[in-house]
């Protein structure tokens, strides 16, 4: 699968959830390429904005859409990666703020 093929699938999925993909399509395509790279690397689409451990069990919380997406979008209007956003965020009706990392420190891979 390519990012061009994944885009409409995730766009329809986002809309079914009452959210959207970031309207910056170039940015979104970079994220999608990262998801697909991680899928090739690990066998699952882990968040490209975080370092994965490489085992599905350890990374279950950051498999896109990650478990942090919904609370992030609810509180900030976007997820940590800014892939999934609220309609208001996309339309500039709410301030674009940096979303803090919600993944617990003990789950983060740090070099």
């Amino acid at each position: 699968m390519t990012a061009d093929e994944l885009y409409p699938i995730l766009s329809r999925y986002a809309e079914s959830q009452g959210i959207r993909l970031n309207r910056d399509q170039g940015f979104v395509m970079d994220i999608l390429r990262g998801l697909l790279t991680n899928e090739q690397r690990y066998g699952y689409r882990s968040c490209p904005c975080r370092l994965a451990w490489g085992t599905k069990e350890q990374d279950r919380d950051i498999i896109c859409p990650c478990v942090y997406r919904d609370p992030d979008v609810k509180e900030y209007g976007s997820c940590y990666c800014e892939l999934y956003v609220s309609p208001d965020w996309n339309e500039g009706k709410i301030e674009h703020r940096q979303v803090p990392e919600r993944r617990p420190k003990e789950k983060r891979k740090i070099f």
Side-chain angles (χ1 to χ4, degrees):
M1 177 172 287
T2 67
D4 288 328
E5 294 167 328
L6 185 57
Y7 184 88
I9 295 167
L10 292 188
S11 183
R12 284 190 302 273
Y13 166 73
E15 289 187 20
S16 78
Q17 303 294 300
I19 56 178
R20 304 288 182 271
L21 294 182
N22 188 320
R23 70 179 183 181
D24 182 342
Q25 192 169 359
F27 174 82
V28 168
M29 296 306 279
D30 285 341
I31 298 289
L32 298 187
R33 283 189 284 275
L35 284 171
L36 293 170
T37 296
N38 284 345
E39 184 175 36
Q40 289 175 338
R41 192 177 285 155
Y42 307 123
Y44 52 91
R45 294 180 190 157
S46 66
C47 174
C49 302
R50 296 174 167 104
L51 293 175
W53 290 96
T55 62
K56 195 170 188 177
E57 190 54 41
Q58 285 180 290
D59 293 333
R60 191 166 303 283
D61 63 321
I62 60 167
I63 294 174
C64 189
C66 74
V67 300
Y68 312 107
R69 182 200 65 187
D70 290 343
D72 286 351
V73 172
K74 183 176 181 179
E75 186 172 349
Y76 296 95
S78 75
C79 69
Y80 183 73
C81 293
E82 295 183 355
L83 172 62
Y84 292 105
V85 301
S86 70
D88 285 346
W89 190 96
N90 246 357
E91 295 167 15
K93 293 180 180 178
I94 61 174
E95 179 184 3
H96 293 190
R97 299 182 296 160
Q98 183 175 358
V99 177
E101 175 63 274
R102 288 183 193 264
R103 191 174 202 206
K105 288 183 181 182
E106 64 272 9
K107 288 189 172 192
R108 296 181 205 167
K109 184 175 184 179
I110 302 170
F111 288 99

